[in-house]
């Protein structure tokens, strides 16, 4: 039994309320909430005076040591450095992905990756298996059902992009979504029409438009909007919920809003890079534009308003990061990173960092700016992700929940810079951005990871989270 902790003098923010309360933590769980000065027990004090007390952030979309470029390279943050950066930013749970490696099954890859993550993660974690390209023909769908049963892997990622490597066909979408519904799993979809993107890329190459920023032109809005509509339609046909990841286009957000108005169980995330950065920042600047390359692309500044509107209205349900950093070293390096595609965008590994910056950026650009409330902030970053992704003990400041607690100081400004962040990326898209709030304390299951005078990130302290069901808001 560990020493109880009491978080005193703070203002608790939940997804629906805000009130002054003290919090008592015993053995990694929230045991008691009480008005100030009225806790029934004592413990080691944490002073939250002048601060909000919020649930630890949940990032349901990370890519740590993520293999790409035909398994010749991987994202530069491993499960330890990535989760350390997450914790510094107030995120205490992540969900990462499992791809099928050559000459291996999805089950073998899942079990290996779970072991690797368990040996390195500083915060709690779960995993999404990626549906193999020929899953309907090879028996991999049955393996996914087995992973759901044995490992609680209740979210399966379907790629509608990258033909020949990751893109599944509509038959696989239909059969996979139907099976997911039967076992209580939720399909999550990278929704871009892969054939449109492939054709647009080929046409750009033929015309000599291969500079880094032309990655944007290879991913038109219509490719995303069409795939989102198709994913929703197949979900309706098989009576399955669907979750659309990294929504970047206002047109795609409109398709999601339309489905929600019809009562369909359609959910979606967006990411800070789509809300806060824009094509205008990297168009025509040469190799530095590679820092912004991700898919779907970071679009025009005029597109941002539609995403903010959808977020405030509840048409977008979560804000995750799609954190997948690659080095921006100018010279070609091995394993190949961003410079692999210098001057030729199809060879740039896709991905941007952001796991540490997420909460600070969304608070500043959302809450401080008046676009969303503090309660919406908690819902978007912790409570709703926990509900949708089957993380039953996470995402709330309530009795019985895991004591994933952040003391959030609204008067702790900092300027974001590659020099003071903790990812291995070596850069941030938000260099020089000043935010007015940041975490004072970060607790994971009652263990203090971050405090004003102490940090502790033992590799392997993070627990794997076995989930029972996903795709249900209750």
């Amino acid at each position: 039994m560990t020493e109880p902790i009491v978080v005193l003098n703070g203002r608790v923010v939940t997804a629906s309320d805000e009130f002054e309360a003290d919090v008592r933590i015993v053995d990694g769980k929230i045991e008691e909430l009480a008005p100030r000065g009225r806790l029934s027990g004592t413990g080691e004090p944490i002073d939250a005076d002048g601060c909000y007390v919020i649930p630890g952030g949940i990032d349901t979309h990370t890519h740590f040591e993520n293999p790409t470029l035909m398994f010749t390279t991987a994202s530069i943050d491993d499960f330890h450095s990535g989760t350390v950066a997450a914790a510094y930013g107030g995120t205490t749970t992540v969900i990462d992905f499992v791809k099928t490696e050559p000459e291996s099954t999805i089950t073998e890859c899942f079990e290996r990756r779970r072991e690797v993550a368990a040996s390195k993660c500083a915060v709690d974690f779960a995993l999404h298996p990626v549906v193999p390209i020929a899953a309907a023909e090879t028996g991999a769908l049955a393996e996914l059902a087995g992973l759901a049963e044995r490992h609680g892997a209740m979210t399966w990622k379907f790629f509608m992009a990258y033909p020949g490597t990751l893109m599944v066909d509509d038959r696989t979408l239909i059969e996979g979504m139907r099976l997911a519904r039967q076992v209580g799993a939720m399909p999550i979809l990278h929704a871009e029409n892969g054939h449109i993107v492939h054709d647009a890329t080929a046409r750009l190459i033929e015309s000599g438009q291969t500079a880094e920023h032309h990655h944007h032109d290879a991913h038109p809005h219509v490719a995303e909007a069409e795939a989102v509509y198709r994913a929703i339609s197949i979900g309706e046909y098989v009576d399955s919920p669907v979750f659309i990841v990294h929504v970047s286009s206002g047109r795609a957000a409109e398709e999601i809003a339309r489905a929600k108005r019809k009562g369909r169980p359609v959910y979606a995330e967006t990411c800070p890079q789509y809300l806060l950065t824009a094509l205008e920042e990297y168009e025509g600047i040469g190799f530095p534009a590679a820092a912004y390359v991700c898919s779907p692309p970071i679009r025009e500044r005029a597109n941002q308003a539609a995403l903010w509107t959808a977020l405030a209205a509840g048409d977008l349900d979560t804000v995750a990061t799609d954190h997948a950093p690659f080095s921006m070293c100018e010279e070609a390096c091995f394993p190949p990173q961003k410079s692999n595609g210098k001057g030729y965008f199809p060879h740039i590994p896709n991905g941007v960092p952001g796991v540490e910056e997420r909460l600070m950026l969304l608070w500043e650009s959302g809450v401080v700016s008046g676009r969303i409330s503090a309660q919406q902030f908690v819902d978007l970053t912790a409570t709703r992700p926990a509900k949708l992704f089957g993380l039953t003990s996470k995402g709330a400041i309530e009795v019985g929940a895991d004591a994933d607690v952040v003391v959030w100081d609204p008067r702790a400004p900092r300027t974001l810079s590659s020099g003071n962040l903790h990812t291995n990326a070596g850069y941030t898209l938000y260099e020089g951005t000043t935010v007015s709030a940041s975490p004072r304390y970060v607790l994971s299951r009652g263990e203090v990871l971050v405090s004003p005078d102490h940090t502790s990130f033992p590799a392997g302290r993070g627990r794997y989270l076995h989930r029972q069901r996903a795709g249900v808001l209750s």
Side-chain angles (χ1 to χ4, degrees):
M1 182 173 179
T2 58
E3 175 73 17
I5 293 174
V6 290
V7 182
L8 305 173
N9 307 316
R11 189 165 184 83
V12 171
V13 182
T14 72
S16 59
D17 204 358
E18 185 177 323
F19 51 91
E20 292 183 353
D22 295 337
V23 182
R24 189 166 188 262
I25 297 166
V26 178
D27 287 340
K29 295 284 187 179
I30 296 174
E31 184 181 76
E32 184 181 3
L33 290 173
R36 286 190 180 185
R38 297 186 184 179
L39 287 177
S40 62
T42 61
E44 180 183 349
I46 288 177
D47 185 11
D49 185 43
C51 295
Y52 297 104
V53 179
I54 62 175
I58 299 172
D59 192 341
T60 59
H61 196 154
T62 63
H63 294 282
F64 303 134
E65 50 193 276
N66 176 58
T68 191
L69 296 182
M70 302 300 290
F71 292 84
T72 62
T73 194
S75 53
I76 201 164
D77 274 324
D78 67 8
F79 280 104
H80 187 248
S81 66
T83 54
V84 167
Y88 268 112
T91 289
T92 54
T93 301
V94 299
I95 311 184
D96 210 275
F97 294 83
V98 182
K99 292 178 179 177
T100 303
E101 300 168 16
E103 310 302 322
S104 298
T105 67
I106 185 60
T107 300
E108 292 167 342
C109 294
F110 188 98
E111 292 175 347
R112 282 199 297 266
R113 193 157 170 84
R114 174 175 170 174
E115 289 179 5
V116 170
S119 72
K120 297 181 181 181
C121 279
V123 303
D124 292 351
F125 71 99
L127 294 169
H128 311 285
V130 175
V131 179
I133 188 170
E137 292 83 24
T138 62
L141 291 179
E143 288 190 70
L144 291 168
L147 291 174
E149 179 181 0
R150 295 191 304 277
H151 295 272
M154 303 305 291
T155 41
W156 306 345
K157 186 172 185 180
F158 295 78
F159 274 91
M160 302 174 75
Y162 309 117
T165 56
L166 290 170
M167 189 177 83
V168 299
D169 60 16
D170 284 0
R171 173 193 169 188
T172 303
L173 288 174
I174 292 167
E175 295 183 12
M177 286 190 192
R178 182 175 287 133
L179 180 60
R181 177 180 60 81
Q182 291 170 0
V183 303
M186 179 172 66
I188 62 176
L189 299 107
H190 178 133
E192 288 186 284
N193 183 309
H195 293 300
I196 290 177
V197 173
H198 180 79
D199 182 75
T201 300
R203 292 169 67 84
L204 287 163
I205 293 170
E206 288 171 5
S207 64
Q209 299 178 80
T210 63
E212 291 80 357
H213 71 270
H214 286 299
H215 170 83
H216 167 273
D217 305 323
H219 296 256
H221 287 267
V222 67
E224 188 174 351
E226 186 280 333
V228 167
Y229 175 79
R230 184 157 38 99
I232 292 169
S233 299
I234 293 173
E236 180 178 1
Y237 172 66
V238 302
D239 193 26
S240 170
V242 296
F243 187 95
I244 310 298
V245 297
H246 49 44
V247 174
S248 73
S249 168
R251 287 184 58 179
E254 289 172 6
E255 296 292 346
I256 294 160
R258 190 174 296 114
K260 283 178 176 280
R261 288 195 294 271
K262 294 178 180 177
R264 294 299 309 156
V266 175
Y267 312 105
E269 75 180 20
T270 192
C271 307
Q273 58 266 31
Y274 302 127
L275 296 167
L276 300 174
T277 66
L279 169 65
E280 288 82 352
E281 296 175 39
Y282 65 92
E283 187 173 24
I285 65 173
F287 177 66
Y292 294 81
V293 168
C294 58
S295 294
I298 294 170
R299 300 191 185 277
E300 310 86 350
R301 186 169 288 112
N303 178 69
Q304 294 173 349
L307 298 180
W308 278 111
T309 298
L311 201 66
D315 295 326
L316 297 174
D317 298 272
T318 70
V319 176
T321 61
D322 196 7
H323 177 91
F326 296 90
S327 170
M328 280 291 293
C329 60
E330 282 275 1
E331 299 304 321
C333 55
F334 189 85
Q337 298 277 295
K338 291 285 190 178
S339 61
N340 186 66
K342 192 171 184 179
Y344 190 77
F345 75 84
H347 287 176
I348 300 172
N350 281 212
V352 300
V355 73
E356 184 172 351
E357 304 99 308
R358 177 181 67 129
L359 296 185
M360 292 178 283
L361 289 168
L362 187 61
W363 182 271
E364 191 68 25
S365 59
V367 179
V368 174
S369 72
R371 291 183 171 111
I372 60 174
S373 68
Q375 291 88 352
Q376 285 176 296
F377 170 85
V378 167
D379 198 29
L380 288 164
T381 61
T383 305
R384 190 165 288 234
K387 291 178 177 179
L388 284 172
F389 288 81
L391 301 166
T392 55
S393 64
K394 304 291 187 182
I397 303 294
E398 63 185 20
V399 172
D402 283 357
D404 296 349
V405 176
V406 175
V407 176
W408 187 259
D409 191 341
R411 296 186 299 274
R414 60 181 291 193
T415 299
L416 302 178
S417 170
S418 59
N420 61 29
L421 296 171
H422 299 86
T423 172
N424 289 336
Y427 78 96
T428 174
L429 297 183
Y430 315 101
E431 184 73 37
T433 298
T434 298
V435 295
S436 57
S438 57
R440 181 188 293 181
Y441 291 88
V442 178
L443 285 72
S444 168
R445 285 181 281 104
E447 182 178 346
V448 178
L449 303 184
V450 177
S451 73
D453 56 6
H454 169 79
T455 59
S456 177
F457 307 106
R461 71 157 300 278
R463 291 180 182 173
Y464 176 77
L465 302 170
H466 188 290
R467 297 171 286 151
Q468 299 298 320
R469 188 173 180 82
V472 179
L473 279 178
S474 59

